[in-house]
Amino acid sequence: MNSDARGWRMALVPDALMNPPDRAGAALPDVLGVLEASGYGVLHLPPPGEHSLLLAVIADQVAEYAHHGYAVVAIGMRGQPSDGLHWRRLAPLLRHRGVALPPRHLIRPEVDAAVEGQRLAGFLAGYDVPLEEQRRWRV
């Protein structure tokens, strides 16, 4: 059976978007709600810091998803170190596993939350793996 509740889509999401900081007067879009409505599962990235072993495990998970026909994206947030994505550490780990870097979308915390939510939904709707990969895994 090839049915998957995630819709064959996974998003790398930084801790800053999973557990948003309390920002007086500023609101972030409901990233998890947009991901769920778009059929995406979530890989929660750790907060800033040294997480070598955890990032290696996450790279393994991303490689498995990517090698089995999942569309994988990275949702970051401007104003966070490395956009919250640990990109300097994660990118070489993914390359070592033969995985292309996932397309990135950055949430802009200074922009209206509703506008950012719509922008994120548009990004998610416009991305998938090539049809050849979809046919190979999702039939």
Side-chain angles (χ1 to χ4, degrees):
M1 178 173 196
N2 287 335
S3 175
D4 190 313
R6 294 166 292 206
W8 292 89
R9 294 170 175 84
M10 291 301 295
L12 295 166
V13 181
D15 186 67
L17 290 172
M18 297 288 289
N19 300 300
D22 186 22
R23 296 174 181 255
L28 293 172
D30 178 10
V31 171
L32 294 178
V34 173
L35 288 167
E36 182 178 14
S38 301
Y40 274 76
V42 172
L43 280 172
H44 182 167
L45 293 170
E50 187 61 37
H51 304 283
S52 298
L53 293 176
L54 181 55
L55 291 175
V57 170
I58 290 170
D60 288 340
Q61 291 173 324
V62 171
E64 279 298 307
Y65 284 121
H67 291 171
H68 288 92
Y70 281 72
V72 179
V73 297
I75 311 300
M77 186 167 81
R78 281 198 188 147
Q80 295 290 307
S82 190
D83 300 325
L85 296 170
H86 299 273
W87 218 241
R88 287 191 177 122
R89 296 291 321 250
L90 200 52
L93 292 169
L94 292 173
R95 283 189 203 105
H96 179 73
R97 287 157 177 80
V99 176
L101 298 180
R104 286 184 283 179
H105 177 87
L106 297 181
I107 299 296
R108 303 171 298 184
E110 71 279 2
V111 175
D112 179 71
V115 170
E116 279 302 284
Q118 291 172 346
R119 196 170 72 87
L120 174 59
F123 168 78
L124 296 171
Y127 177 73
D128 205 341
V129 295
L131 284 175
E132 180 180 307
E133 281 294 302
Q134 291 179 35
R135 286 187 199 110
R136 179 175 175 206
W137 293 105
R138 301 178 190 178
V139 178

